[in-house]
Amino acid sequence: MNLESSETSDLQIVAVKEARIDAAVAIRFKDRMRELTATGAPHVVLDLGEVDFMDSSGLGAIVAAMKQLGATRRLDLAALRPNVEKVFRLTRMDSVFTIHDDIAQAHAIYADG
């Protein structure tokens, strides 16, 4: 699973460099997210700008990544494409996650000076 991470002291951006998060890659996604976010910034933003398809396994993997962060860190989402945004809206998970229009919006909120 191709994920790229960048970090400041307050914000970690994890960009998904794949077109799909589905059953075929869900376990690799969870494992890679666990590696990248084991320690670090209190705010993690998952950049889904390149993801055009997500199924229930992908959604479950993102929820698992959020839970792995624990109570003191948060996982937000950014740059959802219409097909992915629809999955979050239909499952009402858009009320669980903070969703930013793009990474710049997340940076404006969380990134340190």
Side-chain angles (χ1 to χ4, degrees), residues 18-60:
E18 304 276 349
R20 301 172 65 94
I21 304 176
D22 56 19
V25 300
I27 291 172
R28 288 189 312 235
F29 173 84
K30 284 191 291 190
D31 290 345
R32 188 73 176 115
M33 280 294 289
R34 188 176 301 114
E35 289 172 21
L36 291 172
T37 62
T39 61
H43 301 284
V44 179
V45 178
L46 187 61
D47 179 354
L48 296 170
E50 292 186 27
V51 179
D52 193 46
F53 177 82
M54 179 182 302
D55 66 7
S56 60
S57 296
L59 181 62

Side-chain angles (χ1 to χ4, degrees), residues 61-76:
I62 290 174
V63 170
M66 174 188 69
K67 289 181 178 181
Q68 179 268 323
L69 291 177
T72 60
R73 298 171 71 205
R74 66 178 290 139
L75 178 66
D76 291 0

